[in-house]
Amino acid sequence: MRRSAISRLIIFTLLAMTVMSSLYDKEAAAQFIVLSKRVSDALPTNDPNSPLWGKASVATFPMSAQVNWDPRIFSVTVKELTVRSLNNGQDMAFMLEYKDPTQDPTDQAALEFMVGDKKSHFCMAQEMMQVPSGFLDIWVWKGEGNQGVQMKAAGFGTVAPQKTNDLTAKSFWSNGVYKVILTRPLKTNDLDDAQLNLGEFRDIAFAVWDGGHQEKLGQKAVTSYYTFKAEAPVDTSIYLYSLIAVVVVAGIEFIVVRNIRKGKQ
């Protein structure tokens, strides 16, 4: 009977591990990870109130003024940014939500990924302590024209539009709240683009400019780097392996019990 109890404990542990692994992404998202939820539908690029956004994990980040380099600023409007993301295996969409009391044509918002093997500072890939930096793929929404523009940067003074623009963006402002949706294919043929692989962890950072507060260029609200992951299709193999383990343990228990009974006869 003691061995039977041990076997049942093993089975329970395996099942618990399976459940915990399925909850990993939700727990990770709560710890400042931007998890791009995998969906099978077309992405709601023109609808910030689509029910699909309700399926996405919510990550909220503090923002602060960029004070490290000129032109610096010591007070910014946006103090907090909420991020959601969806992908359908081909394209990826982000929705950035933040408070801005005024709508101004010079308002902007952006996210950025590092490109290449070199680490890059989140502030325009500016060099620090004479350490060479890599460069950034920057997805920018511009209030003027309500459009998306892909930029690249390898330090202040190097920010420039990319030759190919694969980004679309659109904003929605209501009652002092912006919802900005940026969309791009996961994979492109542009060497200046970050190529996003499903299931891969990457660094991501954000910036917001309140034009009504005269924020421009390096005068902006920024985050440091956080972690991003594009959710891949559900891997059902873990459930299969758990089922196999349960069957094996049950078989061992059956054999042990049978041998004990034979020994008593």
Side-chain angles (χ1 to χ4, degrees):
M1 293 298 292
R2 183 179 178 184
R3 291 180 180 178
S4 178
I6 293 175
S7 298
R8 292 191 181 95
L9 178 61
I10 293 173
I11 293 173
F12 174 78
T13 301
L14 290 170
L15 291 174
M17 289 175 63
T18 301
V19 172
M20 290 300 294
S21 67
S22 68
L23 294 176
Y24 168 76
D25 282 335
K26 292 182 180 179
E27 293 178 353
Q31 299 172 6
F32 297 139
I33 290 181
V34 180
L35 175 65
S36 183
K37 178 67 177 177
R38 177 66 180 262
V39 296
S40 58
D41 306 275
L43 300 180
T45 57
N46 293 308
D47 184 4
N49 300 312
S50 167
L52 283 178
W53 290 113
K55 296 181 178 181
S57 297
V58 179
T60 301
F61 307 115
M63 304 200 81
S64 59
Q66 190 287 114
V67 298
N68 292 318
W69 293 282
D70 286 326
R72 56 175 55 89
I73 191 170
F74 296 98
S75 176
V76 291
T77 300
V78 180
K79 305 295 195 302
E80 188 175 78
L81 177 71
T82 297
V83 182
R84 296 173 176 83
S85 181
L86 299 168
N87 83 84
N88 59 11
Q90 299 295 323
D91 298 308
M92 177 171 299
F94 291 86
M95 184 164 69
L96 313 184
E97 182 176 348
Y98 58 93
K99 294 180 180 179
D100 184 342
T102 61
Q103 187 178 23
D104 191 276
T106 58
D107 289 340
Q108 297 184 59
L111 62 85
E112 60 189 32
F113 292 103
M114 285 183 274
V115 179
D117 298 327
K118 289 184 179 179
K119 293 291 184 181
S120 304
H121 194 276
F122 61 83
C123 196
M124 298 301 178
Q126 180 72 4
E127 292 185 6
M128 290 191 67
M129 304 298 289
Q130 305 304 313
V131 177
S133 177
F135 71 96
L136 296 172
D137 174 15
I138 308 173
W139 303 11
V140 183
W141 161 75
K142 291 179 176 289
E144 186 174 4
N146 199 13
Q147 61 182 323
V149 179
Q150 274 189 277
M151 312 287 283
K152 62 180 180 180
F156 284 131
T158 68
V159 183
Q162 294 189 21
K163 293 181 180 179
T164 303
N165 185 45
D166 299 298
L167 178 71
T168 60
K170 190 171 183 179
S171 72
F172 306 84
W173 183 89
S174 178
N175 297 320
V177 175
Y178 262 120
K179 292 183 179 180
V180 179
I181 300 176
L182 304 104
T183 309
R184 202 209 74 177
L186 289 162
K187 298 287 188 180
T188 72
N189 295 319
D190 191 342
L191 296 178
D192 291 332
D193 286 353
Q195 304 304 318
L196 306 176
N197 299 311
L198 297 176
E200 177 183 61
F201 288 95
R202 299 184 64 103
D203 291 327
I204 189 171
F206 304 90
V208 174
W209 293 259
D210 176 14
H213 188 233
Q214 305 304 309
E215 296 173 19
K216 59 182 179 179
L217 302 175
Q219 298 172 325
K220 57 186 175 179
V222 297
T223 72
S224 59
Y225 279 123
Y226 289 95
T227 303
F228 165 78
K229 178 187 175 185
E231 186 179 65
V234 177
D235 182 5
T236 58
S237 62
I238 186 171
Y239 301 102
L240 176 61
Y241 296 147
S242 298
L243 178 60
I244 293 173
V246 170
V247 172
V248 170
V249 171
I252 293 173
E253 180 180 355
F254 173 78
I255 294 172
V256 169
V257 171
R258 185 184 63 180
N259 290 340
I260 290 175
R261 289 176 176 174
K262 285 185 176 179
K264 290 181 178 180
Q265 291 177 354

